[in-house]
């Protein structure tokens, strides 16, 4: 009887070990399976979230930091300010405004394809097309990715998934690299997209390897922002330069 009980207990222990092992294997398979699916096509998930966010966004206001790196001399300049954004609708063009407070006060407005940059310290204003903006419009160029749908991104760029990364402030993001499919004024653009589908950070690398990085912080979405707040004016004595 004792041998029989021992035999039964031994079977029970084996069954228990098998059950625990099987359960553990099932969990691993589930986790590995999801990870594999994610690894196979992460770009689709990121673009889907970006597209949903793009369609639901009616306005955005945030603090903004811009880092400009000169690849030739290795210098890096930092700018701090705030930005406002209204997406394009059937009745109006896209609106972007950036007001820098450091290291000097400057304001830039982008409405559709037109931009204005006012530098009060220099008594100077630059106006022109965003395609000709070069360094003056770098921040607006980076922010314009907010207004791109999934179809536009896929049509205009070859997209590479880089990985999951934390940006300044500890926000976890998906890192994408975008290479223009046709001739552009820059080589690549990189986006760091949060779980809501918002590009929190963008880096544009120019053909000479200079880079401009724009980082959004303290973000407010879908608040009331009036279009007339994007009107940029300057004193009559200001020198106006057409770019």
């Amino acid at each position: 009887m004792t041998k029989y009980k021992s035999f039964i207990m031994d079977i029970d222990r084996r069954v228990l070990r098998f059950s625990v092992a099987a359960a553990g294997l099932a969990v691993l398979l589930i986790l590995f399976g999801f990870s594999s699916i994610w690894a196979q096509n992460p770009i689709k998930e990121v673009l889907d979230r970006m597209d949903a966010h793009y369609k639901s966004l009616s306005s955005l206001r945030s603090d903004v930091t811009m880092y400009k790196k000169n690849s030739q001399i290795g210098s890096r300049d930092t700018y701090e300010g705030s930005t406002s954004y209204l997406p394009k609708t059937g009745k109006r063009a896209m609106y972007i405004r950036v007001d820098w407070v450091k290291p000097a006060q400057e304001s830039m407005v982008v409405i559709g394809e037109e931009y204005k940059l006012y530098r009060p310290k220099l008594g100077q204003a630059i106006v022109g097309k965003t395609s000709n903006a070069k360094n003056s419009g770098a921040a607006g160029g980076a922010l314009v990715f907010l207004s791109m749908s999934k179809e536009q991104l896929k049509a205009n760029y070859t997209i590479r998934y880089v990985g999951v990364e934390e940006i300044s402030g500890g926000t976890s993001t998906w890192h994408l690299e975008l290479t223009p499919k046709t001739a552009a004024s820059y080589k690549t653009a990189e986006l760091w997209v949060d779980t809501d589908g918002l590009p929190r950070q963008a880096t544009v690398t120019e053909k000479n390897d200079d880079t401009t990085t724009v980082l959004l912080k303290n973000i407010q979405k879908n608040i009331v922002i009036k279009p007339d707040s994007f009107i940029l004016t300057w004193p009559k004595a200001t020198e106006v330069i057409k770019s």
Side-chain angles (χ1 to χ4, degrees):
M1 186 68 176
T2 302
K3 289 183 179 180
Y4 177 74
K5 285 184 177 181
S6 177
F7 175 71
I8 294 300
M9 290 176 65
D10 185 52
I11 290 176
D12 288 342
R13 283 194 295 269
R14 291 181 183 181
V15 170
L16 180 61
R17 284 198 298 269
F18 177 79
S19 299
V20 171
L25 180 60
V27 171
L28 287 173
L29 285 173
I30 291 171
L31 293 176
F32 181 76
F34 286 152
S35 298
S36 297
I37 292 169
W38 175 245
Q40 286 169 12
N41 197 10
I43 292 175
K44 182 180 183 302
E45 175 69 18
V46 180
L47 292 182
D48 284 347
R49 294 196 186 199
M50 288 179 68
D51 199 53
H53 183 272
Y54 157 77
K55 291 175 179 176
S56 66
L57 188 67
S58 62
S59 68
L60 182 143
R61 179 177 288 148
S62 76
D63 295 335
V64 59
T65 302
M66 180 171 72
Y67 307 99
K68 293 179 66 64
K69 183 178 178 181
N70 185 306
S71 62
Q72 280 69 46
I73 61 176
S75 65
R76 174 168 148 157
D77 298 319
T78 301
Y79 302 78
E80 295 179 5
S82 61
T83 186
S84 300
Y85 164 77
L86 291 175
K88 179 181 178 180
T89 68
K91 296 182 178 180
R92 66 158 189 260
M94 176 191 68
Y95 285 54
I96 295 175
R97 178 165 183 152
V98 182
D99 294 294
W100 301 115
V101 294
K102 293 181 181 180
Q105 290 188 344
E106 291 186 0
S107 293
M108 183 187 71
V109 167
V110 178
I111 299 179
E113 298 298 323
E114 308 287 334
Y115 86 96
K116 296 179 180 180
L117 174 65
Y118 175 46
R119 294 170 167 167
K121 188 175 180 179
L122 300 177
Q124 185 184 82
I126 302 173
V127 300
K129 299 284 187 181
T130 54
S131 56
N132 300 324
K134 295 184 180 179
N135 291 340
S136 299
L143 290 170
V144 79
F145 290 105
L146 285 171
S147 66
M148 287 192 178
S149 67
K150 176 174 64 175
E151 287 75 19
Q152 289 173 319
L153 287 168
K154 289 169 67 176
N156 292 297
Y157 298 96
T158 299
I159 304 172
R160 183 174 73 90
Y161 175 71
V162 180
V164 175
E165 296 178 8
E166 281 192 2
I167 59 174
S168 177
T171 301
S172 182
T173 63
W174 291 298
H175 181 184
L176 301 179
E177 181 185 73
L178 283 61
T179 303
K181 291 183 177 180
T182 58
S185 60
Y186 56 93
K187 292 198 301 186
T188 61
E190 296 172 78
L191 301 180
W192 286 260
V193 183
D194 69 16
T195 54
D196 290 335
L198 170 66
R200 290 287 194 106
Q201 180 174 294
T203 294
V204 175
T205 301
E206 298 175 29
K207 291 182 178 180
N208 64 354
D209 291 326
D210 288 355
T211 60
T212 300
T213 298
V214 175
L215 171 67
L216 304 182
K217 299 179 180 177
N218 302 320
I219 296 166
Q220 297 175 285
K221 293 188 283 188
N222 299 336
I223 60 174
V224 176
I225 302 177
K226 295 182 179 180
D228 59 12
S229 65
F230 293 83
I231 297 173
L232 188 60
T233 60
W234 43 75
K236 290 183 179 180
T238 301
E239 178 189 11
V240 179
I241 302 170
K242 293 185 178 180
S243 117

